[in-house]
Amino acid sequence: MSRAMQCQSCLPWGSWARLPRSLPGTRGTRSVSVCAAAVPGELGSVPLALSPVPPGHPSRAVQVVGHPSEVGCAHYQGDSQEKPAQPSSSRHGQSQLRNVAFSGAIKKHQKSLSAWFSHQPNEERQFGPSFSLDAVHVDPVIRESSLEEVLKPSPDLTIQNQLQQPSRKVISLHNLFDVDACGRQVKNVVLYGTVGTGKSTLIKKMVVDWCHGRLPRFQLVIPFSCEDLSHSHTHVSLRRLITKKYQHLRDVVPVLEASNLSVLFILNGLERLSLDFRLAGTELCCDPNEPVPPSAIVVNLLRKYLLPEASIIVTTRPSAVRRIPGKYVGRYAEICGFSDTNLQKLYFQMRLSQPGCSGEESQDRRSAEQENLVEMLSRNLERHNQITAACFLPSYCWLVCTTLHFLYFTRTVPPSQTLTGIYTSFLRLNFSGEVLDSTDPTHISMMKYVAKTVGKLAYEGVMSRKTCFSEEDLRQCFEVEMKTESELNLLEVFRSDVFRFFLSPCVQPGKEHTFVFTIPAMQEYLAALYVVLGEKKTLVQRVGKELSEVLGKVSEDVAVVVNIISKVLPLRFLPVLFNLLKIFPRYFSRVGGKDRDTIAHTMAEELFKEEDYYNDDVLDQINSSILGVEGPMRHPDETLDDEVFELFPIFMGGILSRRNRAILEQLGCSIKNLAAFEIAKAMKKTVIRKGRRGLPPSELMDYLFFLHEFQNERFTAEAILSLRAVNLSSVKMTPLKCSVLASVMSTTCHEVEELNLTSCNLDSGSLRTLFPVLLRCKALHLQLNSLGSDACKEIRDLLLHDKCVVSSLRLTNNPVGEQGARYLAEALAGNRSLRQLSLLHTALGDPGAEAIAQHLAQNQHLQELNLGYNSLTDTAALRVVEVAKRHETLDKVHLYFNDISEDGKRALDSLRMDRDGVRALVFLTAGTDVSDYWSHILNVVQRNLPFWDRERVQQHLTLLLQDLESSRSQTANPWRKAKFLRVESEVKKMLGKLQDGSL
């Protein structure tokens, strides 16, 4: 029976909801063994016990196994009374081992394995803190299974059905070789799981446990990578194979059978090998010294014909389980992921609480922020949102933690740290260039297959703005173009091994039989990959490309023949025909160039969609998708807003970066340098042109983030040069966003006319990050940012810098205080660029104003100073004005809404611009006339009213009204009286709205 027919017999072909079970129920178990990879696909770890654990002791405490790429491992035993079976030969073997000279060799082997498995993947060091070996991680649940469980059809893949499935026995990693239900000793174990469940990390834990004496059942552990074995095409003996990989065992291998050692062979990734258990395909071999193909060694080890006393554990994906006949397997075990939200919470608690997670922040602040993150994440998991279904896979838990680290604890962003880079590296860790099916002659990489199929589904969802997909949608993307037996087989392997990694049942009420992308942003990433790889082609384009390639190859062969014949025979028309033959490939290459323009146009259209202009920026959207939105939950019947896909064009740009293209090349998804160059060239006509338009703050932040992700310095510089004013007001400028802004702006040295960072949650750290950018800004708006004295110290350093060009600085509504005023006064004394300084409502008080007055005389360039609403009394106000009189350039001082008496008002009213050289703006009147600045003062009040004390504003407005009425009564000029009445009506209107609460 063909393999495709076998697949059809066990999986209903028409139903996409019927897939191998991967999330069984979790109730009714007495003990849970938890251990999984935070960084999937990488092996390497050294354990470190929190407390001494004697060998063989089934400790109920936490045994910590460090994982270089994740949080480590906590092994939890519940109230189960089961203890690992200890064969009688084990104790005898140990005593014998002490008398054998090669016991030192095994210790060296343990040390070598420990060092090798301690190696951290680059992604872990790049996207988060490097966790020490005493860190911890949580193991996924392992359940006993059977071949029938793998082969039989499973119920619909919905959360409800999964939770209602009968519970299978939970088994710990250390008990996999216990006797089976019939009392027979288990020698061969098959441990299987879909992509991302942590198979490789479990094997790493087993090796590390043995290296540190926590696996006393075995006296020798020999791990092999099946990928490594698959690349060996020469015959080799088992003895040579072991000593080739592990030189320390060269004295041990010759006496493996005679020494009566308890040996464990680990075969990781069996799906990489093509095995044939037929005698006609693989001959019997019991001699460890006989050279045979590596696959024959594996087959005979599993047959128990070679080293029959050795134990073997095999890890594989579900589709390859059937490659080993059931009679050679003593136990099947399935890795079921984090099937309980408590395991997910435990993982996040351990991972996000690691020291160094928040960089160089103070200990208290770091701990508070970490605890807050864990709490918000826990609440979101308890709501049973889609993230709960996603974090069933331990690998996605790693992605969540890595993304949170990127969002919250990134203080600087080197080129290697991009959101696209995180997702690309995540896919490399999980797929690492694996082929989908090693038995298929096409050897298509798993990631390439995903890009062609799941990418198409993702793209069509983005274009139609939907995230839920029916079975019909899946059939349209996966099954419509199935034409050959090979394609059918590949699809079945994908469904059993990979499907659940990308798509999972929707948890939204009423949509249980639809599918969504496990992580929402993954839909946009795969859609972007689908477009950039050029998979989005019409039928004419596909046929044209194939025909062009055929004719191109034919024309090369024909060229030689035509040249020979034309020299012998006078057939002058042959070269003409040959040139005509070459026209089509040339023409198609020009048409193919239009694809690049299409990609650039798609990127620009999606990046600057007007309907998305007033959404949150993409970084806030990602944060909300992980931590949820605080507030009342949406009613099930409430109409959902349109889906937003603003990450899609950003991922398109990120995928084109050199580093991400290099990683995708390893995954079998090639994007040529020429293609990337042509797309970037086409983007200059579209993206940069549209970026010159005035964008809302959140959309501008997305544009800057796009430039950061694109990682093309020349392109970014040209784009930034077109931005003379940068308005990011009301965008929550996290450390990451500040770093992105600084990184993008650093590609040029041009002066920025205006940088508006009003109400952006800035602090002193933000100002330090943005320091190089702030130096080049002429007008700098920093209102409403809670900037205190620490921030003022940074501003002082900024203004005293010899390259500072800031001419207008607004610090309105910040708690500057007396100490902050002293720092700013020092800055005024030495600054040469500042012309306007606004300290409106900054809690200066008289001491702060006095400090500014003391240093003001040393400044020679300031023209306007606003000290309004600062509780200044007559003494401080008059002191400032006296200094201003002698100042060469200062001609305007704002002092309204201060505690100035009538005497003080009269003294200030007596100032004359032509005589004193300065004008003080205190009231709406100027003697017996209306002040020229009355509308300016009222506009300032109206703009800042939401941030001021309404009672106090009401009192000041009442005083202003009384002053207006008094001044009106003192003038007989009807024109002036009319002006007074007009201003009085505006003040009364504002007072009325204040009392009604409508303002």
Side-chain angles (χ1 to χ4, degrees), residues 396 399 403 419 423 458 462 467 517-528 618 621-622 625-626 644-645 647-648 651:
Y396 272 110
L399 180 61
T403 305
L419 186 67
Y423 276 76
V462 169
T467 56
F517 277 83
T518 309
I519 290 287
M522 188 60 76
Q523 177 179 355
E524 297 173 80
Y525 181 93
L526 292 178
V618 292
Q621 291 175 29
I622 295 172
S625 70
I626 295 175
V644 178
F645 296 98
L647 267 175
F648 169 54
F651 277 143

Side-chain angles (χ1 to χ4, degrees), residues 472 552 812 848 917:
E472 182 59 31
T812 303

